[in-house]
Amino acid sequence: MTPDGPDPDTARRPASARDRLIATAARLFQEQGYVATGLNEILAGAGAPKGSLYHYFPDGKAGLAAAAIDAAASGLEASLKQAHSTAGGAAGMVEAYGEMLAGWMEASHFRRGCPVATVALEVTPGDDAAAQAVREAFARWRTALSEAISADGVASKRADALAGFTLAAIEGALILARADASAEPVRAAAREAAALIRAAKPQG
Amino acid sequence: MTPDGPDPDTARRPASARDRLIATAARLFQEQGYVATGLNEILAGAGAPKGSLYHYFPDGKAGLAAAAIDAAASGLEASLKQAHSTAGGAAGMVEAYGEMLAGWMEASHFRRGCPVATVALEVTPGDDAAAQAVREAFARWRTALSEAISADGVASKRADALAGFTLAAIEGALILARADASAEPVRAAAREAAALIRAAKPQG
Amino acid sequence: MTPDGPDPDTARRPASARDRLIATAARLFQEQGYVATGLNEILAGAGAPKGSLYHYFPDGKAGLAAAAIDAAASGLEASLKQAHSTAGGAAGMVEAYGEMLAGWMEASHFRRGCPVATVALEVTPGDDAAAQAVREAFARWRTALSEAISADGVASKRADALAGFTLAAIEGALILARADASAEPVRAAAREAAALIRAAKPQG
Amino acid sequence: MTPDGPDPDTARRPASARDRLIATAARLFQEQGYVATGLNEILAGAGAPKGSLYHYFPDGKAGLAAAAIDAAASGLEASLKQAHSTAGGAAGMVEAYGEMLAGWMEASHFRRGCPVATVALEVTPGDDAAAQAVREAFARWRTALSEAISADGVASKRADALAGFTLAAIEGALILARADASAEPVRAAAREAAALIRAAKPQG
DNA sequence: ACGTGCGGGACTACCCGTTCCT
DNA sequence: AGGAACGGGTAGTCCCGCACGT
């Protein structure tokens, strides 16, 4: 939802051209959306020549977007799992995660939201690699959330419903946060979702 | 979130050129996003010449988008209030509303989401009329939800928090629904939010 | 070449809408050229409604340009004749005139050149009212110069040649002055032309 | 002032796309002016694809104009120097040059004037690459004229003044020639300027 | 006579994502 | 991997009617 990794503009050289392209694309998609981000802009930001793009991503912009989304999904999934082990439970994980996202939004002055949501809204569903990557990203997050909630003892069906709801609430909150230039919706959404998860946990 | 009104392509003539432009823009923004929707496409869909657009919307695309968002916000706000009076309570209202949105998504084969969310993600916050319209649309919906929940006897502070959370969950669910080509996330989000509202209502 | 009259922006109201349109058009043509000056810009500068333009100038932009050129030609011709009577001879007149033009260019920070020259270069010769007005403006100036030189006792054929040469030199100097942001070419051209006229005058 | 080279429409293929763009732009600027000449028109005239323009001239129209002006300035400077060596003196050079320009104007039916003068009048001084190219073109011509006059034995200060005056007279004459559809002003201006140069030459 | 709202397209400079050839 | 070339697209603005109220 708000992955960063090392800023590709500051620490540019170490990573490969391919990785720099992915990181730059993800960042620009967050800030401006998928369609509004030009290939030239990505190329310039990554310091890569034009031919490289079609060498690494023969499917062009959609292929690069798919890779960027995959990378973002992996990063966020890892953050989620780390938050789980740190917090020791699904509810705490969601709270920690919301706090992290809220901090990221504030750090970017509410310019960087979820790189997946933008692509999701700007691409006609089902048509290309990017749309598929969007589906997979959401599915991975939902699964990760669901497993964490299940691990708390919640029945798997209920856990999955709560996971979907939590994901929706956070994604929606990121949009509201961007529009209002305030991280409050994200923190509030995480808090409410966490409360719901706690309430679903079998007592004792 | 998913407003329709009469399809501007089938019943074109009755409405004024201005209204046709707004309706067509809202529809195309829902389907393709803000940036991906070209002015020429809107013009063609509305059957209007280019001169009309800049006559009615001197600020160009941003002005048209602001008007489209305002119209969508008004439409949805009205639907919300109607659902409130029909359902007789905030929780029922949210459920009815979610059902309505879910139906709209299915009817459009999951192509039309919320016209406000796309603009929200594709426009740099604060830069133009469209961004402001986005803020206002979200604020109006949140207020309408909040007032309905308050009317159920929930303390206004808690009602406002629930309104924001409900709004976030529904917006997020619309994104997931679009990505997965399934209305289930929308129905589930409305159900969960309604349950939360019911739980917040003072007993007796 | 660099006519002004009262600035149409400062003393706007007294003149009629027609006169304000002419004055504004002349000024903008000087600064930006004929094609680059939009009708809307002229209308806005003159504070006139759109319908007025086609009421007063049924031929549209070309008709307005013709009127603006006529007005400028008249103004400059009058300045020339006044300079003649003040200076008491053709050479002195040219010098005084050059000094006036140089002062105007400096006052406008070298943005306002000859409103006729721009139209002359931007309009296909012979096609419309504006082109004709350009011819007439140059003819009037040449005649005025020629008569003044004749009055000094120079044979009319030689006077006419000197008039044409003087006109060319001043018009060219205005272009160089604009390009170099310096009034020196205008002063130099007037000086050289005046010397030539003095040399042509029969001694005694 | 009236450069030609091979007509880009008749002998199109040999030159590179970049050169064809420059030649076509210069020709169209001469005929219609800078602003009135559209990029599409240049592209069509040069037989170049649209993308090429911004490939060769990243600064767009202004960059192309600057290149066209540079090329025209070089061509004219070369013509001037050739006329100098042929005529054997500055005065003869100016006469030969004027005759050449007059012939060019007649050949083009008085449609093609100086490509530099149009840009000079239509561009706000100092704002972009084109304005700078205009300044340089005038400076190069003035220098070439000045050096030729100096070579005749005229003191350098006087030579420079005469060069500027000659340049102004010829530029102005090209405007008058275009407006009146007559090459006479050009021939007359060259004759008068040449006479002035001869008179400045030290006797013996 | 004079002004206005509304429309009507063509055109502008500019930039896009992509592909071909080296 | 690289960079030149490609052509269709962008938002925006142009100058100009036509029909309607003064």
Side-chain angles (χ1 to χ4, degrees):
Chain A
M1 295 148 184
T2 312
D4 272 16
D7 188 331
D9 278 334
T10 56
R12 180 178 300 160
R13 287 298 145 200
S16 75
R18 198 188 125 97
D19 290 343
R20 294 200 312 269
L21 283 169
I22 290 177
T24 307
R27 178 173 52 88
L28 291 174
F29 290 165
Q30 286 179 292
E31 294 177 359
Q32 310 170 340
Y34 175 66
V35 180
T37 298
L39 249 18
N40 291 332
E41 201 177 357
I42 299 173
L43 259 2
K50 198 157 207 174
S52 302
L53 201 158
Y54 285 88
H55 174 69
Y56 292 120
F57 306 100
D59 290 346
K61 195 182 190 182
L64 171 56
I69 290 169
D70 280 349
S74 295
L76 269 307
E77 200 183 8
S79 298
L80 212 44
K81 287 182 173 165
Q82 188 193 333
H84 190 209
S85 60
T86 301
M93 169 191 78
V94 166
E95 280 170 338
Y97 193 61
E99 185 53 43
M100 187 178 70
L101 294 174
W104 282 344
M105 289 231 68
E106 285 167 345
S108 73
H109 301 283
F110 308 100
R111 279 196 292 257
R112 298 194 196 171
C114 173
V116 178
T118 47
V119 179
L121 289 178
E122 298 185 65
V123 161
T124 305
D127 72 336
D128 59 7
Q132 171 129 4
V134 165
R135 272 195 304 280
E136 285 174 10
F138 285 144
R140 286 169 67 176
W141 290 337
R142 180 166 186 162
T143 300
L145 284 167
S146 184
E147 288 174 351
I149 299 171
S150 285
D152 274 14
V154 177
S156 76
K157 200 172 161 189
R158 179 66 186 143
D160 198 54
L162 282 172
F165 186 58
T166 300
L167 181 55
I170 290 178
E171 284 289 339
L174 285 169
I175 296 177
L176 299 182
R178 182 182 161 96
D180 290 341
S182 158
E184 186 269 338
V186 178
R187 291 198 172 90
R191 223 183 303 122
E192 298 284 348
L196 226 40
I197 291 167
R198 281 202 185 87
K201 208 158 74 171
Q203 270 79 348
Chain B
M1 296 148 184
T2 310
D4 270 19
D7 187 331
D9 277 334
T10 57
R12 180 176 302 162
R13 287 295 146 199
S16 75
R18 197 189 128 97
D19 290 342
R20 294 200 311 271
L21 284 169
I22 290 177
T24 306
R27 178 172 53 86
L28 292 174
F29 290 165
Q30 287 179 293
E31 294 177 358
Q32 309 170 340
Y34 176 65
V35 180
T37 298
L39 250 18
N40 292 331
E41 201 176 358
I42 298 173
L43 260 1
K50 207 155 213 175
S52 299
L53 201 161
Y54 283 88
H55 174 67
Y56 291 115
F57 305 101
D59 290 346
K61 195 182 191 182
L64 172 55
I69 290 170
D70 280 349
S74 295
L76 269 309
E77 200 184 8
S79 298
L80 212 46
K81 287 181 173 166
Q82 189 191 334
H84 190 211
S85 60
T86 301
M93 170 191 79
V94 167
E95 280 170 336
Y97 193 60
E99 185 53 43
M100 188 178 70
L101 294 175
W104 282 344
M105 289 230 70
E106 286 166 345
S108 73
H109 300 284
F110 308 101
R111 280 198 290 258
R112 298 195 196 170
C114 174
V116 178
T118 46
V119 180
L121 289 179
E122 298 184 65
V123 162
T124 305
D127 71 336
D128 59 7
Q132 171 128 5
V134 165
R135 273 196 302 278
E136 286 175 9
F138 285 143
R140 286 170 66 176
W141 291 337
R142 180 167 187 161
T143 301
L145 285 166
S146 183
E147 288 173 351
I149 299 171
S150 285
D152 274 14
V154 177
S156 76
K157 201 172 163 191
R158 178 67 186 145
D160 199 53
L162 282 171
F165 185 57
T166 301
L167 181 56
I170 290 178
E171 285 290 340
L174 286 168
I175 296 177
L176 300 182
R178 181 182 162 98
D180 291 341
S182 158
E184 186 270 336
V186 178
R187 291 198 172 89
R191 222 183 304 122
E192 299 285 348
L196 227 40
I197 291 169
R198 281 203 185 87
K201 204 156 77 171
Q203 269 78 348
Chain C
M1 295 147 184
T2 311
D4 269 18
D7 188 330
D9 277 334
T10 56
R12 180 178 298 161
R13 286 297 147 200
S16 74
R18 196 185 126 97
D19 291 343
R20 294 200 312 270
L21 283 169
I22 290 177
T24 307
R27 178 173 53 87
L28 292 174
F29 291 165
Q30 286 180 293
E31 294 176 359
Q32 310 170 339
Y34 175 66
V35 180
T37 299
L39 250 16
N40 291 332
E41 200 177 358
I42 298 174
L43 260 1
K50 196 159 210 171
S52 301
L53 201 158
Y54 286 89
H55 174 69
Y56 293 119
F57 305 100
D59 290 347
K61 195 183 190 180
L64 171 56
I69 290 169
D70 280 349
S74 295
L76 269 308
E77 199 183 8
S79 299
L80 212 44
K81 287 181 173 165
Q82 188 193 335
H84 189 209
S85 61
T86 301
M93 169 191 78
V94 166
E95 281 170 337
Y97 193 61
E99 185 52 44
M100 189 179 69
L101 294 175
W104 282 345
M105 289 231 69
E106 286 167 346
S108 74
H109 299 284
F110 308 101
R111 280 196 290 257
R112 297 193 196 172
C114 173
V116 178
T118 46
V119 180
L121 289 178
E122 297 184 65
V123 162
T124 305
D127 72 337
D128 59 7
Q132 171 130 3
V134 166
R135 272 195 303 281
E136 285 174 10
F138 285 143
R140 287 169 67 176
W141 289 337
R142 180 166 186 162
T143 301
L145 284 168
S146 183
E147 288 173 353
I149 300 171
S150 285
D152 274 14
V154 177
S156 77
K157 200 173 161 190
R158 179 66 187 142
D160 198 55
L162 282 171
F165 185 58
T166 300
L167 182 54
I170 290 179
E171 285 289 341
L174 286 169
I175 296 177
L176 300 182
R178 182 182 162 96
D180 290 341
S182 158
E184 186 268 339
V186 178
R187 291 198 172 90
R191 223 183 303 122
E192 298 285 348
L196 226 40
I197 291 168
R198 282 202 184 88
K201 206 158 75 171
Q203 268 79 348
Chain D
M1 295 144 185
T2 312
D4 271 18
D7 188 331
D9 277 334
T10 57
R12 181 176 300 160
R13 288 295 146 200
S16 75
R18 196 190 127 97
D19 291 342
R20 294 200 312 270
L21 283 169
I22 290 177
T24 307
R27 178 172 53 86
L28 292 174
F29 290 165
Q30 286 180 292
E31 294 177 358
Q32 310 169 340
Y34 176 66
V35 180
T37 298
L39 252 16
N40 291 333
E41 200 177 359
I42 298 174
L43 258 359
K50 208 158 203 177
S52 301
L53 204 158
Y54 284 86
H55 173 66
Y56 291 119
F57 304 100
D59 290 347
K61 195 182 191 182
L64 172 55
I69 290 170
D70 279 349
S74 295
L76 269 307
E77 200 184 8
S79 298
L80 212 45
K81 286 181 174 165
Q82 189 192 334
H84 190 212
S85 60
T86 302
M93 170 191 77
V94 166
E95 281 170 337
Y97 193 61
E99 184 53 43
M100 189 179 69
L101 294 175
W104 282 343
M105 288 230 71
E106 285 167 346
S108 74
H109 301 283
F110 309 101
R111 280 197 292 256
R112 298 195 196 169
C114 174
V116 178
T118 47
V119 180
L121 288 178
E122 298 184 64
V123 162
T124 305
D127 71 337
D128 58 7
Q132 171 127 4
V134 165
R135 272 195 304 278
E136 286 174 9
F138 285 144
R140 286 169 67 176
W141 291 336
R142 180 166 186 162
T143 301
L145 285 168
S146 183
E147 288 173 352
I149 299 172
S150 285
D152 275 13
V154 177
S156 76
K157 200 172 162 190
R158 179 66 187 145
D160 199 52
L162 282 171
F165 185 57
T166 300
L167 181 55
I170 290 178
E171 285 289 339
L174 286 169
I175 296 177
L176 300 182
R178 181 183 162 97
D180 291 341
S182 158
E184 186 270 336
V186 179
R187 290 198 172 90
R191 220 182 306 123
E192 299 284 349
L196 226 40
I197 292 168
R198 281 202 185 88
K201 204 156 77 170
Q203 271 79 349

